[in-house]
């Protein structure tokens, strides 16, 4: 005869448990299992009695009992139903320049973990390809156009990769940090753009080092303005409206810069070609507008709502 296992024994000792017909018939026939069930029920009852004698009945305090002592004096009086005058809070001293710079540096360094993992290898491969184009393409006009187009596209991709705070999986965490979401987003944007601009300058210098016929200043003037303006437009529209709108607008700005940088025999200096030449021909207009657009994008990052009791 197969006796009851431990699980069936505990179920049979519980008077509220529903027993199967097989267990009932076995208990009616097996005196040993019936004695074990009786002993288990008595042991459980004795354990419950000892627990009540040692710990006493469960006494759950009310919410007010837990929260009111932690509230300031003024809010305790409001909670109790009386209005009391409260002293003005003491002014919190502002951190000094050294501490602020240290916090800013730590915040920028911490954003490396929030940058998408694919961005770094994609950027490295892209800049390596740009250097190859600057060295291999024989025609100086097409060489500068290809190098500037690829570098500008890489900076545009970097801006789009970090310009979606509404879709950030850590957005809820940013709402409870002492640092505002705007500061976190600005630190992440500064990190990515600084890395991309540094890599672009290094790629330009490497291309000029490998091929002495490459004019580094011409290459820099070909990608600096278009990359900043296309990335800033994409970031602003992504924060303001939607990711697809920012991507489309950034791509259009990038395409207009690429068309304007083509050799002169392909783009006549009349009509639209003249306008593109006026905008992209080494002027400071794209850089100034880019700084203003990025500042506006940071301003549009939503802040957490202040909740007061």
């Amino acid at each position: 005869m197969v006796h009851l296992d431990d699980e069936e024994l505990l179920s049979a000792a519980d008077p509220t448990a529903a027993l199967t017909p097989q267990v009932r018939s076995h208990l009616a026939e097996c005196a040993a299992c019936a004695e074990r069930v009786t002993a288990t029920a008595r042991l459980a009852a004795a354990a419950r009695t000892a627990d009540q004698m040692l710990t006493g009945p469960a006494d759950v305090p009310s919410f007010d009992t837990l929260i009111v002592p932690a509230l300031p004096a003024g809010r305790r009086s409001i909670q109790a139903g009386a209005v009391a005058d409260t002293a003005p809070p003491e002014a919190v001293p502002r951190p000094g320049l050294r501490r602020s710079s240290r916090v800013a540096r730590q915040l920028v360094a911490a954003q490396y973990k929030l940058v998408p993992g694919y961005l770094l290898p994609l950027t490295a491969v892209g800049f390596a390809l740009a250097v190859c184009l600057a060295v291999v393409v024989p025609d100086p006009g097409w060489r500068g156009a290809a190098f500037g187009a690829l570098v500008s596209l890489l900076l545009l991709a970097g801006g789009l990769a970090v310009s979606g705070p509404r879709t950030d999986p850590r957005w809820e965490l940013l709402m409870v940090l002492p640092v505002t979401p705007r500061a976190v987003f600005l630190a992440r944007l500064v990190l990515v753009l600084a890395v991309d601009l540094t890599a672009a300058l290094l790629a330009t210098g490497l291309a000029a080092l490998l091929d002495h016929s490459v004019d580094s200043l011409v290459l820099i003037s070909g990608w600096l303005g278009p990359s900043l303006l296309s990335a800033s437009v994409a970031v602003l529209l992504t924060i303001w409206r939607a990711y697809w709108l920012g991507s489309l607008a950034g791509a259009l700005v990038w395409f207009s810069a690429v068309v304007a940088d083509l050799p002169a025999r392909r783009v006549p200096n009349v009509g639209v070609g003249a306008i593109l030449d006026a905008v992209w021909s080494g002027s400071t207009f794209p850089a100034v507008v880019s700084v203003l657009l990025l500042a506006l994008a940071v301003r549009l990052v939503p802040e957490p709502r202040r909740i007061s009791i």
Side-chain angles (χ1 to χ4, degrees):
M1 178 182 293
V2 179
H3 295 283
L4 299 179
D5 56 15
D6 294 338
E7 184 176 355
E8 294 173 339
L9 186 65
L10 292 175
S11 299
D14 187 1
T16 61
L19 302 180
T20 61
Q22 293 82 2
V23 173
R24 289 197 185 94
S25 61
H26 180 79
L27 290 175
E29 298 174 358
C30 182
C33 288
E35 290 179 359
R36 292 173 60 197
V37 169
T38 303
T40 303
R42 291 176 179 175
L43 181 61
R48 285 193 296 269
T49 303
D51 183 67
Q52 292 178 0
M53 293 176 59
L54 293 175
T55 61
D59 185 12
V60 180
S62 65
F63 180 78
D64 292 339
T65 305
L66 294 175
I67 297 299
V68 171
L71 294 176
R75 292 193 177 181
R76 284 201 300 268
S77 62
I78 295 175
Q79 190 76 12
V83 178
D85 295 331
T86 57
E90 297 181 359
V92 180
R94 297 178 63 87
L97 179 60
R98 182 177 180 181
R99 182 181 177 185
S100 299
S101 60
R102 183 173 68 252
V103 172
R105 184 174 63 254
Q106 294 174 352
L107 183 60
V108 172
Q111 298 310 302
Y112 177 77
K113 298 180 180 179
L114 298 178
V115 175
Y118 65 85
L119 187 60
L120 182 60
L122 178 65
T123 303
V125 173
F127 280 115
L129 180 60
V131 173
C132 294
L133 289 176
V135 175
V136 173
V137 176
D139 186 81
W142 288 105
R143 174 190 305 169
F147 185 86
L150 186 53
V151 171
S152 302
L153 186 61
L154 291 174
L155 267 76
L156 173 60
L160 286 173
V162 297
S163 60
R166 292 190 179 94
T167 58
D168 194 338
R170 303 168 182 84
W171 183 245
E172 292 82 2
L173 179 61
L174 298 182
M175 292 297 183
V176 298
L177 291 178
V179 182
T180 63
R182 289 174 183 170
V184 175
F185 174 70
L186 177 60
R188 195 185 316 171
L189 188 64
V190 167
L191 173 66
V192 172
L193 292 183
V195 171
D196 286 345
L197 289 175
T198 303
L201 291 175
L202 292 177
T204 304
L206 181 60
L209 184 64
L210 295 177
D211 189 351
H212 296 288
S213 63
V214 175
D215 190 348
S216 58
L217 294 179
V218 173
L219 290 182
I220 292 175
S221 63
W223 60 258
L224 182 59
S227 60
L228 290 178
L229 189 56
S230 60
S232 61
V233 169
V235 169
L236 175 62
L237 293 181
T238 299
I239 297 297
W240 183 38
R241 289 302 181 189
Y243 185 82
W244 68 268
L245 183 60
S247 303
L248 179 61
L252 290 177
V253 175
W254 171 82
F255 181 74
S256 68
V258 171
V259 172
D261 199 33
L262 292 176
R265 63 179 179 272
R266 296 297 181 90
V267 181
N269 293 326
V270 293
V272 178
I275 297 175
L276 294 178
D277 287 340
V279 173
W280 299 113
S281 60
S283 63
T284 59
F285 172 78
V288 174
V289 174
S290 301
V291 174
L292 297 177
L293 293 180
L294 290 177
L296 181 58
V298 174
R299 182 66 180 85
L300 291 178
V301 173
E303 288 289 309
R305 297 177 180 176
R306 304 300 179 187
I307 300 176
S308 59
I309 300 177

